[in-house]
Amino acid sequence: MSSNAADARGRSRWGTALAILLLIGAVLAVLALAATRVAEQRIASILGPRSQVGNVQVGLRQVVLTDVTVAGASGQPGARARRVELEPEWTAFLRREAVFKRITVDGFDFAVVRSADGDMQIAPALQAALRAGDGKTQRNGPIRVAELILRDGRLDYLDGAVSKPPHRIPFKDVQAHLQPVVIPGDGTASEMEFTGKVEDNRNGEATVRAKGKVVVGSSDADITVAARNMDIRHAAPYLADNGAGSLSGGSMDLDMKTVIARHELKASGTVALHNLKFSGDGSLFSLPRKAVLAAMKDKRGVIRFEFALAGSLDNPKFSVTRGFSAQVARGFGHAIGVGAEGAAEGVAGAVKELGDALSDMLSPTKP
């Protein structure tokens, strides 16, 4: 009997252990389901009602979203991403605070839009969705991201300040890194890096690199930009004010440093223009057409010059784009060796549209 009793006690212990394991498994399953549901609700509260997420996977360290789509408003480009990995601060996340250690976005596609008045928005559809989410949910505080990584994406830069319809520069193979990021901005400066290739470049591969600091929600920035072999059709509206149509071929290299502090802009750098081709008639860069064509031939198709630009963004008479065009005209005149009279005539033609106030603001180009 003692043997039977021992067997019974053994079976009882195993049965109890199995029951406990089953209970623990059931509890974990319920918690996992609850965590997934909470995560879905938190993500929905952040992204707002305009967004759709194909799938949500919740792990111990991260939340993975796949096939994320954010619809744009009427006439507004949308945004999407193949995969988004969120690494939240879980305690803050459960308190409805959007605090993340890292967000990694793969396979994204969105737009950067500059309006006719110069206001710039990054992924306006996403920004609108975030604002809509704010208005319909009780999220505590701003979105805080210690590190934001964008990988293997594309974007369209749409500039309505230089043309109508907006001038479009498409980028592919875009990689970007920002840290930290606060939305809405609280004045914190973000370290940023950006690399990308220009799509549909007629002269082979064209690259753009940028590095520096930006302040989200502010115009303050300190950025160095390097562009190589950019098709002149993408650069033309910035090089020749009201004369971009005459530039039909060639490429541009650009090195530029831009600092904006308290709405005061200072920009300087070097432009190199390669193998320019022109169409139509009339002056080029506000300079005599014959002089420009002859100089391009003498210099074997390469024109290189420096530029500098400074002014207040609060001054309605100050235009960065037109000011840069005037600087290009002046630098081009020096580079091709047009006589003082001809260069002065060309610069006067380019600056005339800016008015006397803008002319005074332009920094002199180094000889």
Side-chain angles (χ1 to χ4, degrees):
M1 281 186 67
S2 61
S3 176
N4 291 336
D7 290 343
R9 284 195 299 270
R11 287 194 297 271
S12 176
R13 284 195 298 271
W14 282 110
T16 301
L18 181 60
I20 292 173
L21 289 174
L22 290 174
L23 177 61
I24 292 174
V27 170
L28 289 176
V30 171
L31 289 176
L33 181 62
T36 300
R37 183 57 181 160
V38 168
E40 289 175 344
Q41 291 175 344
R42 297 294 182 269
I43 297 303
S45 73
I46 293 172
L47 293 179
R50 291 183 179 178
S51 306
Q52 293 183 341
V53 179
N55 187 43
V56 179
Q57 294 181 333
V58 180
L60 294 177
R61 294 182 55 190
Q62 62 185 18
V63 179
V64 178
L65 316 178
T66 54
D67 300 325
V68 180
T69 303
V70 181
S74 178
Q76 184 185 71
R80 64 178 183 269
R82 183 179 66 251
R83 177 184 174 92
V84 180
E85 294 182 4
L86 309 170
E87 295 184 28
E89 294 280 1
W90 283 109
T91 55
F93 200 61
L94 296 176
R95 292 195 305 266
R96 295 183 178 272
E97 297 176 4
V99 181
F100 300 90
K101 299 175 183 176
R102 182 182 292 108
I103 296 180
T104 304
V105 183
D106 288 294
F108 60 90
D109 190 339
F110 62 80
V112 176
V113 179
R114 187 183 181 210
S115 62
D117 61 5
D119 182 42
M120 188 175 294
Q121 295 187 64
I122 299 175
L126 179 59
Q127 292 191 37
L130 294 174
R131 288 193 295 270
D134 259 343
K136 295 180 180 294
T137 61
Q138 298 297 317
R139 189 177 73 238
N140 298 324
I143 300 173
R144 298 183 180 275
V145 185
E147 184 179 24
L148 174 61
I149 301 171
L150 305 177
R151 299 191 303 212
D152 302 328
R154 70 170 308 282
L155 65 84
D156 283 336
Y157 177 59
L158 305 173
D159 194 343
V162 297
S163 67
K164 188 176 182 180
H167 180 60
R168 174 177 173 265
I169 305 179
F171 292 90
K172 63 181 181 179
D173 296 339
V174 174
Q175 321 291 329
H177 183 245
L178 291 92
Q179 62 178 18
V181 179
V182 181
I183 303 174
D186 63 355
T188 301
S190 301
E191 298 280 349
M192 65 84 65
E193 293 184 24
F194 170 96
T195 63
K197 299 176 182 178
V198 181
E199 282 187 346
D200 303 324
N201 206 66
R202 295 176 297 183
N203 309 304
E205 183 175 282
T207 60
V208 176
R209 298 178 181 274
K211 186 175 182 179
K213 294 182 179 181
V214 295
V215 178
V216 176
S218 167
S219 61
D220 286 2
D222 186 344
I223 300 175
T224 300
V225 176
R228 293 292 180 269
N229 196 39
M230 178 178 283
D231 194 321
I232 204 67
R233 62 178 168 166
H234 297 310
Y238 307 98
L239 293 174
D241 187 31
N242 295 326
S246 64
L247 288 166
S248 59
S251 64
M252 180 191 75
D253 295 338
L254 170 70
D255 289 286
M256 179 172 66
K257 180 176 177 61
T258 302
V259 177
I260 305 174
R262 295 182 293 277
H263 288 224
E264 293 289 330
L265 177 144
K266 292 183 179 181
S268 61
T270 303
V271 173
L273 303 174
H274 302 265
N275 303 316
L276 293 186
K277 295 180 181 179
F278 303 94
S279 61
D281 300 315
S283 64
L284 302 173
F285 298 101
S286 298
L287 297 169
R289 187 182 188 88
K290 290 183 178 179
V292 172
L293 295 178
M296 292 295 295
K297 183 177 180 180
D298 292 342
K299 292 181 176 290
R300 298 182 180 180
V302 180
I303 295 292
R304 188 183 309 273
F305 53 86
E306 295 179 347
F307 67 90
L309 178 65
S312 171
L313 299 182
D314 292 329
N315 189 336
K317 294 183 179 181
F318 176 67
S319 166
V320 176
T321 302
R322 291 181 178 177
F324 182 64
S325 298
Q327 288 284 292
V328 168
R330 178 181 298 183
F332 204 98
H334 283 294
I336 67 176
V338 174
E341 182 178 350
E345 178 184 354
V347 175
V351 176
K352 182 178 179 181
E353 299 177 5
L354 306 180
D356 294 337
L358 176 58
S359 182
D360 293 337
M361 291 179 209
L362 293 176
S363 301
T365 302
K366 299 176 183 179

